[in-house]
Amino acid sequence: MQTHRILVINPGSTSTKIGVFDDQEVVFEKTIRHTAEEISSYKRIIDQYEFRKRVILDELDREGINISKLSAVCGRGGLLRPIEGGTYEVNEAMLEDLKNGYNGEHASNLGGIIASEIAQGLNIGAYIVDPVVVDELHELARVSGVPEIPRKSIFHALNQKAVARRAAADLRLSYKDARLIVTHMGGGITVGAHVGGRVIDVNNGLHGDGPFSPERAGTVPAGDLVSLCFSGQYYRNEVMKKLVGQGGLMAYLDTNDAREVEEMVANGDRKAKVVFEAMAYQIAKEIGSMSAVMEGKVDAIALTGGLAYGKAFVEEISKRVHWIADVLVYPGENELEALNEGTLRVLNKEEVPKQYPNFQE
């Protein structure tokens, strides 16, 4: 069988992670750091794509990697319009929405653009896999109680889908046949109900829904939040920072580093212990609510993300939910591997690549 060499690109706010894979074997992996001066010289994030493309190609050249031998290029999916999960070919409609920042400006928008630029010169395919806007919600999951504010699907789709596939394989099931609750636990925390290869319900881990996290507030009492907003003490952006960036562990303990909090707990800090256990408690509650969505028919619960490295934290969650189903642990995010695997499924003809719709037609 032919070996496929794939370049994967994951742009972040101050770095670009790249990897080269021969099928599933890592040939090269690197995090390229960008200085504040380099980043600040561009007015908009989208203006950085030529600079980042050049840096990537220079790095590959230094490593002696011949890009003419690539089979495909895959970039991290950005803030596109809501679409179902899967591997998508980068097309003109997608590039238009990425360049215009349809759903907002974010470094991940550069992934598909850079992939397309590199792939075009080599006459090979460019792809994205499971962007954060993956939306497969059941119609019941969209109803919030306030018609003007429907529930939205914004979650760690790339890692959740990859881990769900891995958990299904470990259970000797296909992803489409498995019924899984996948919990991504990082700077943000999302808990998804995976049924029939789709995420039928998930909390919006970005904008205040679900468990609090190292730096996000999660669900807070709505009436009290409204009072805070109209108290005259805060501007809009200050309230948003309380919810995203300065919430959760950061708000209570002045750190978003779970390892520091674990150390505080080990040293007998009572407040740190309560807050840390409360975060695990809220995650367990969210897992429980997803099990109700799935009518109690759950093959396994998968815990992933950086917080899944914490043995005590994982045990704190597991003791509350193990009665629902077995708890499987897959620490870390492994986003480069997930991008590669999504592309590999297409190249091996296990899946047909999806087409991003032209919403203007």
Side-chain angles (χ1 to χ4, degrees):
M1 186 186 285
Q2 179 190 354
T3 298
H4 299 294
R5 175 161 285 195
I6 301 168
L7 168 64
V8 296
I9 302 164
N10 183 6
S13 55
T14 60
S15 67
T16 304
K17 294 178 183 176
I18 61 172
V20 176
F21 293 79
D22 280 348
D23 289 339
Q24 292 185 325
E25 183 184 341
V26 181
V27 175
F28 170 66
E29 201 170 297
K30 178 76 180 278
T31 298
I32 305 168
R33 308 284 176 191
H34 309 303
T35 66
E37 290 76 24
E38 287 172 327
I39 296 298
S40 62
S41 66
Y42 297 94
K43 190 173 181 183
R44 296 177 61 215
I45 290 174
I46 204 65
D47 299 331
Q48 300 171 19
Y49 84 87
E50 280 285 2
F51 154 70
R52 295 216 195 196
K53 182 182 86 168
R54 187 175 66 253
V55 169
I56 291 167
L57 292 176
D58 287 348
E59 194 64 46
L60 294 173
D61 192 45
R62 263 193 298 275
E63 287 296 315
I65 292 172
N66 184 350
I67 64 168
S68 69
K69 299 198 181 297
L70 292 175
S71 307
V73 187
C74 181
R76 179 76 187 271
L79 295 175
L80 295 159
R81 299 169 196 252
I83 51 176
E84 66 179 10
T87 301
Y88 285 78
E89 279 185 317
V90 178
N91 59 20
E92 287 303 318
M94 181 188 294
L95 289 171
E96 189 74 16
D97 279 350
L98 290 173
K99 288 174 181 176
N100 292 332
Y102 173 81
N103 235 332
E105 286 217 5
H106 190 273
S108 61
N109 290 2
L110 297 166
I113 297 169
I114 297 170
S116 176
E117 289 270 324
I118 294 174
Q120 269 186 347
L122 301 169
N123 198 28
I124 57 177
Y127 304 95
I128 67 164
V129 178
D130 291 326
V132 292
V133 293
V134 165
D135 186 345
E136 300 166 337
L137 294 186
H138 189 285
E139 63 178 350
L140 298 181
R142 299 185 191 281
V143 183
S144 70
V146 180
E148 298 90 340
I149 312 176
R151 292 187 68 241
K152 293 180 182 176
S153 177
I154 299 178
F155 70 111
H156 304 89
L158 181 63
N159 191 43
Q160 279 220 22
K161 289 268 189 179
V163 165
R165 289 177 186 279
R166 198 184 311 176
D170 287 346
L171 295 169
R172 297 186 177 163
L173 295 169
S174 73
Y175 176 42
K176 288 192 174 178
D177 290 335
R179 299 174 65 87
L180 304 163
I181 298 173
V182 181
T183 303
H184 176 103
M185 307 182 298
I189 292 172
T190 55
V191 182
H194 295 242
V195 177
R198 300 173 69 81
V199 183
I200 62 169
D201 201 347
V202 66
N203 64 295
N204 179 340
L206 179 61
H207 286 147
D209 185 23
F212 72 81
S213 77
E215 55 188 35
R216 299 175 195 175
T219 303
V220 295
D224 293 337
L225 179 60
V226 170
S227 297
L228 188 75
C229 290
F230 286 91
S231 67
Q233 297 179 53
Y234 304 99
Y235 290 108
R236 181 183 184 278
N237 66 322
E238 291 175 319
V239 174
M240 284 304 296
K241 279 184 182 174
K242 279 184 170 291
L243 298 178
V244 182
Q246 298 294 323
L249 295 184
M250 194 72 194
Y252 286 100
L253 304 171
D254 292 323
T255 179
N256 61 4
D257 190 331
R259 292 166 300 184
E260 285 184 26
V261 178
E262 285 179 331
E263 197 173 319
M264 293 161 73
V265 173
N267 290 334
D269 188 319
R270 170 73 181 159
K271 181 181 178 183
K273 184 175 188 295
V274 169
V275 172
F276 206 48
E277 287 183 5
M279 187 164 69
Y281 173 88
Q282 288 199 2
I283 291 169
K285 270 209 305 189
E286 194 72 18
I287 291 170
S289 74
M290 289 303 164
S291 72
V293 164
M294 296 165 69
E295 300 176 352
K297 299 169 189 168
V298 183
D299 293 316
I301 297 162
L303 305 180
T304 182
L307 293 178
Y309 284 111
K311 189 178 177 187
F313 189 69
V314 164
E315 286 175 356
E316 195 64 34
I317 297 166
S318 299
K319 74 181 185 184
R320 289 190 163 88
V321 301
H322 68 86
W323 57 274
I324 298 170
D326 287 344
V327 178
L328 309 177
V329 185
Y330 304 93
E333 297 188 15
N334 306 313
E335 290 171 334
L336 295 181
E337 289 90 340
L339 292 171
N340 177 64
E341 286 166 8
T343 308
L344 205 52
R345 287 193 295 273
V346 165
L347 296 182
N348 286 335
K349 297 186 167 32
E350 295 167 23
E351 288 180 13
V352 176
K354 295 181 177 177
Q355 293 297 319
Y356 186 72
N358 186 342
F359 293 90
Q360 308 304 320
E361 289 181 349

